[in-house]
């Protein structure tokens, strides 16, 4: 759930999104990066995902795409609602 959810174009092109790929060279590797990080199910991974999402939020705000970012965050909340520690971290973004 969520790992394959497509990111808005600005998120796919965001600096830092590439670093989360962990060697994934598939075409949609960046779209899977946040889900892959969250899938590690530990607080360090959740911190990393939250850091990337914070950077992406800033980028999308600069591009006036805040609504798309908020939609993506809402989908992450829905997809990962069982991961309470992750949800707590993204509530602060």
């Amino acid at each position: 759930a969520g790992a394959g959810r497509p990111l808005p174009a600005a998120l796919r092109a965001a600096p830092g999104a590439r670093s989360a790929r962990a060697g994934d060279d598939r075409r949609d590797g960046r779209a899977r990066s946040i889900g892959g990080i969250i899938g590690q199910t530990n607080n360090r991974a959740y911190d990393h995902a939250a850091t990337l999402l914070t950077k992406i939020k800033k980028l999308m705000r600069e591009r006036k795409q805040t609504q798309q970012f908020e939609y993506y965050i809402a989908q992450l909340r829905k997809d990962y609602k069982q991961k309470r520690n992750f949800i707590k971290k993204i509530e602060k973004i």
Side-chain angles (χ1 to χ4, degrees):
R5 180 172 304 285
L7 296 171
L11 276 94
R12 289 191 302 269
R18 180 175 298 261
S19 67
R21 288 174 57 186
D24 185 359
D25 287 331
R26 291 175 287 191
R27 182 176 61 92
D28 60 341
R30 282 177 264 168
R32 296 172 192 249
S33 63
I34 297 294
I37 293 168
I38 297 165
Q40 293 176 32
T41 65
N42 63 63
N43 287 329
R44 185 174 175 188
Y46 299 159
D47 286 338
H48 182 59
T51 298
L52 288 176
L53 289 167
T54 300
K55 290 177 183 180
I56 292 167
K57 179 181 181 179
K58 180 182 176 195
L59 175 70
M60 292 192 75
R61 187 180 319 129
E62 291 170 0
R63 294 181 179 193
K64 302 197 182 326
Q65 295 179 330
T66 304
Q67 186 175 9
Q68 291 94 330
F69 178 77
E70 293 300 327
Y71 175 78
Y72 183 68
I73 290 292
Q75 292 302 307
L76 288 175
R77 282 187 193 107
K78 179 181 172 186
D79 292 345
Y80 296 104
K81 64 185 173 192
Q82 296 170 336
K83 297 183 182 293
R84 293 180 305 238
N85 288 342
F86 172 68
I87 298 301
K88 288 178 189 175
K89 297 204 183 282
I90 64 171
E91 292 296 327
K92 297 175 185 177
I93 296 175

